[in-house]
Amino acid sequence: MPEHPAVGIDFGTTNSSVARTRADGTVDLLRFANGSGSSRSIVFFEQQQQGGARRSVDTFAGQAAIDAYLRRQGAGLDATGRLIQSLKSYLPVASLTGTEIFGRRYTLEDLIARILKPLREAAEQQFGHLITRATVGRPVRFVGAETAEDDALAVTRLTAAFHAAGFHHIRLELEPVAAAHVYESTLTQDETILIGDFGGGTSDFSLVRVGPSARSLPPSERVLGNAGVGLAGDAFDARLIRHLVSPALGSDSLSRSLGNKLLPAVPAWIFRNLERWHYLSFLRTRAVDEILRAAHTRALRQGEDADKLAALRTLIDEDLGYQLHQAVARTKVALSHAEAAEFRFSEGGLDLRAAVTRAEFEAWIAPELESIEAAVDGLLASAAIPAPAVDRVFLTGGSSFVPAVRRIFNRRFTPRRVVTGDAFTSVARGLALSP
Ligand SMILES: Nc1ncnc2c1ncn2[C@@H]1O[C@H](COP(=O)(O)OP(=O)(O)OP(=O)(O)O)[C@@H](O)[C@H]1O
Ligand SMILES: [Mg+2]
């Protein structure tokens, strides 16, 4: 097969997409089995029992990972699988080099490559040519990256993961800048635009000159400034869990100590681990089991909230973190479209329900919204571009559907100037178009 130009790859915290530019200049996306143009950034390790001590380990990525995980859990075999996601969030974390799975050590780069390689192979199949070159998106600020060293580490690891997945030539491009390429291709005159990309892990902003003549400027003159905060949809989910779900699992429950003092029935750190679903499996330890068993027994004796603590134990015992997270995300998505929604979780014999209004949700995510606003204002100030000088605001990424996020921009720039692109694939399309 002949080698072709680079494909664009958006390896996201939650979702990944691949796009290519055809010879006629149009862009098409890699389509997945369900017809969607993006696939979950998730990997599942499954240990096969092959009689005696011989056990092989299979890995699955994307939708196949979710399917294998749910199949295994449905069959009560969850202890022999490991589902891993949000890997992008660990890229700048020097202390996290990898993890041990079924007795074998995997580096972070290895794990990410297991998501990227199937993407490359599927794209080769569908596009009908070899793929060894990619233009790869990177956030303005990686989640948790505080220093230039953190950023350099994230870039080195991301590049190594792509190499391990069979890509030989990698070029990095800022995700929000990529997202602007598609919009730019529709322009007949130059504009100054602000791009906001709100994903699962990061919220990124760029001020860019776009248009027919701006296109020929060097990048340093085109990009007027960047800003980013390491929080987005995952952080919103965590707030919903804290305020809506955890109370139904006993986070507000108290129990009476021997000295007749009222204390939390379950230590707060257990609920903190619940807020990021992929930490939930860290709670499946004997120590936690003992804490919860004792708390449950006390609650039964004192006649308080025993059902909540029982639900918490089931959730952890049955490792229902993935399903819990899905239910929370469904509630969040519903709140993007309606003023009120119901959180509903029925799995493993549990049936949790809680009503929530958009106003409550917005109050819970107020600290995140403030950080986002501060980043936008800081960017405008540091680039010395007042809000009225911004011709257009382009919002993308799944979390740009959150009305409170959109309001930040509508207020500053008026709704007329705020436009939305294809929230899930504009970065990949733009990477494919990237010169
Ligand atoms: N309608 C919606 N309302 C609110 N949030 C949504 C909606 N649809 C998707 N999301 C959220 O958007 C996030 C995923 O968005 P996206 O696919 O753009 O992220 P990503 O590219 O994987 O992440 P990142 O860019 O941070 O690496 C998830 O947190 C998801 O719950
Ligand atoms: Mg993204």
Side-chain angles (χ1 to χ4, degrees):
M1 286 196 271
E3 193 165 324
H4 279 252
V7 292
I9 302 195
D10 176 14
F11 167 60
T13 311
T14 316
N15 298 300
S16 295
S17 300
V18 183
R20 66 151 173 186
T21 305
R22 295 198 200 85
D24 65 1
T26 57
V27 175
D28 71 338
L29 284 171
L30 172 63
R31 293 279 164 199
F32 296 90
N34 60 2
S36 155
S38 59
S39 149
R40 290 292 293 266
S41 310
I42 200 160
V43 57
F44 181 62
F45 287 77
E46 181 174 58
Q47 188 175 49
Q48 303 295 348
Q49 316 277 4
Q50 290 175 329
R54 275 198 42 201
R55 289 164 170 188
S56 69
V57 175
D58 293 331
T59 57
F60 302 87
Q63 188 57 44
I66 295 168
D67 293 345
Y69 167 76
L70 294 176
R71 201 167 52 232
R72 198 123 194 117
Q73 251 196 350
L77 295 169
D78 54 300
T80 49
R82 273 280 295 277
L83 189 70
I84 300 177
Q85 83 155 18
S86 291
L87 284 165
K88 189 179 179 182
S89 303
Y90 299 115
L91 281 169
V93 184
S95 60
L96 192 131
T97 54
T99 186
E100 197 181 296
I101 301 165
F102 303 128
R104 199 188 132 184
R105 193 147 179 89
Y106 296 85
T107 64
L108 180 63
E109 293 87 330
D110 258 352
L111 295 172
I112 293 175
R114 277 163 204 268
I115 295 174
L116 299 176
K117 189 159 175 266
L119 288 178
R120 186 176 61 75
E121 290 167 350
E124 285 187 339
Q125 272 275 320
Q126 203 163 311
F127 297 158
H129 59 74
L130 271 184
I131 294 173
T132 56
R133 309 162 76 87
T135 307
V136 174
R138 58 147 296 164
V140 173
R141 171 165 312 178
F142 285 93
V143 177
E146 301 290 339
T147 63
E149 288 80 59
D150 296 344
D151 186 79
L153 176 66
V155 165
T156 305
R157 284 171 156 181
L158 185 63
T159 307
F162 272 85
H163 286 154
F167 294 91
H168 302 317
H169 305 278
I170 304 298
R171 207 169 60 80
L172 295 183
E173 161 96 274
L174 289 171
E175 288 163 12
V177 172
H181 287 323
V182 175
Y183 175 70
E184 177 169 40
S185 65
T186 67
L187 290 180
T188 52
Q189 57 185 36
D190 286 0
E191 289 186 356
T192 298
I193 68 168
L194 171 65
I195 305 129
D197 179 6
F198 300 89
T202 55
S203 299
D204 290 320
F205 314 97
S206 291
L207 269 170
V208 189
R209 286 292 293 163
V210 291
S213 47
R215 210 171 315 197
S216 51
L217 294 173
S220 58
E221 286 173 44
R222 260 166 72 90
V223 180
L224 309 174
N226 292 304
V229 281
L231 54 89
D234 288 350
F236 298 162
D237 294 343
R239 294 291 180 186
L240 275 172
I241 293 183
R242 178 174 304 183
H243 295 282
L244 194 64
V245 180
S246 291
L249 300 170
S251 64
D252 296 338
S253 304
L254 299 171
S255 86
R256 215 162 268 290
S257 70
L258 287 176
N260 215 23
K261 270 205 289 209
L262 277 176
L263 298 170
V266 174
W269 63 264
I270 292 191
F271 292 101
R272 292 293 96 87
N273 274 312
L274 212 62
E275 289 173 12
R276 300 283 166 143
W277 78 268
H278 48 290
Y279 294 169
L280 194 122
S281 44
F282 300 156
L283 292 174
R284 304 183 77 207
T285 64
R286 187 169 307 196
V288 171
D289 191 48
E290 274 164 20
I291 293 172
L292 294 183
R293 195 198 313 253
H296 189 208
T297 310
R298 266 197 315 274
L300 282 170
R301 205 172 46 231
Q302 300 177 0
E304 296 217 19
D305 291 349
D307 50 336
K308 295 183 181 175
L309 301 187
L312 177 61
R313 287 182 72 191
T314 304
L315 190 80
I316 294 172
D317 282 351
E318 300 197 12
D319 203 15
L320 297 173
Y322 175 76
Q323 290 88 333
L324 176 70
H325 185 266
Q326 289 294 101
V328 166
R330 273 197 301 277
T331 308
K332 179 181 68 174
V333 169
L335 287 172
S336 292
H337 306 289
E339 291 293 335
E342 189 189 43
F343 165 75
R344 173 97 201 259
F345 179 77
S346 24
E347 294 281 347
L350 296 180
D351 190 25
L352 304 176
R353 291 160 192 242
V356 52
T357 65
R358 187 187 284 170
E360 286 172 312
F361 174 57
E362 291 180 352
W364 298 337
I365 62 170
E368 284 75 20
L369 295 172
E370 259 171 46
S371 303
I372 290 170
E373 294 200 61
V376 174
D377 291 338
L379 173 58
L380 294 174
S382 68
I385 304 226
V390 174
D391 297 304
R392 199 74 58 183
V393 177
F394 182 84
L395 301 183
T396 191
S399 299
S400 71
F401 290 120
V402 174
V405 168
R406 309 190 67 83
R407 226 161 38 228
I408 292 174
F409 297 90
N410 286 337
R411 254 197 324 259
R412 281 173 178 67
F413 303 97
T414 72
R416 195 182 52 79
R417 280 187 284 155
V418 179
V419 295
T420 311
D422 182 341
F424 295 103
T425 58
S426 61
V427 173
R429 287 174 186 277
L431 289 167
L433 280 173
S434 165

